[in-house]
Amino acid sequence: MRTAVTIAALAAALPAVILAAPPAAAQSAQLEQACVMVAKNFLLIPTIKTGVVQSFPELDPPGARLTYSTREDAKPTDFNNEVECEFDKAQPPFNLLRFCISKTCYGPNEAEQENRRRYQEVKALMDRQKK
């Protein structure tokens, strides 16, 4: 009977434990930093505060995504903007294939000319940093 009570108590506490668990550990700090640079270049800001950062070097194409805030004194509730980046490979030098800020994506094949232009600008800035 005592075992049943212990199992019931653990089962009741399980959702709280799951909610309190930290996000998965980062897989590629280099991919994440490259995506941070994409965000800084696109937003025209020298620094950016990141919240949750995830990278996926094993996917095709490899990439990263992060939440961010441009506020200097950012609080956890301020990280509601999102950036997603895709690169040609998981190791440097990274070639930017596409990125999305919030719900708008920028890449060489985007239908909107303005979005293609913004992609070309950020890609040019990222390519300059490789040299």
Side-chain angles (χ1 to χ4, degrees):
M1 180 73 169
R2 185 171 189 209
T3 304
V5 172
T6 304
I7 291 172
L10 286 172
L14 190 57
V17 171
I18 291 171
L19 291 175
Q27 300 240 354
S28 172
Q30 292 176 317
L31 271 176
E32 293 167 7
Q33 280 306 111
C35 196
V36 167
M37 289 306 298
V38 167
K40 289 165 73 172
N41 284 326
F42 179 81
L43 298 168
L44 302 171
I45 55 175
T47 60
I48 190 170
K49 303 283 184 174
T50 58
V52 176
V53 182
Q54 300 172 332
S55 58
F56 307 95
E58 70 277 14
L59 296 182
D60 184 24
R65 65 183 181 160
L66 57 98
T67 58
Y68 72 92
S69 175
T70 56
R71 293 178 52 134
E72 189 71 28
D73 58 345
K75 296 175 180 30
T77 55
D78 294 332
F79 297 100
N80 51 15
N81 299 308
E82 190 174 317
V83 176
E84 297 180 40
C85 304
E86 294 177 1
F87 301 97
D88 67 335
K89 59 186 180 205
Q91 301 83 26
F94 300 109
N95 180 35
L96 181 64
L97 299 178
R98 182 173 184 254
F99 68 96
C100 302
I101 306 275
S102 297
K103 303 262 186 243
T104 305
C105 293
Y106 305 86
N109 301 319
E110 297 300 325
E112 294 288 326
Q113 179 182 357
E114 182 95 6
N115 294 354
R116 284 193 312 272
R117 173 64 185 211
R118 295 293 88 75
Y119 161 77
Q120 291 169 341
E121 291 171 352
V122 171
K123 184 173 179 349
L125 292 169
M126 297 294 289
D127 289 347
R128 288 179 197 165
Q129 293 172 349
K130 292 185 222 176
K131 297 176 182 179

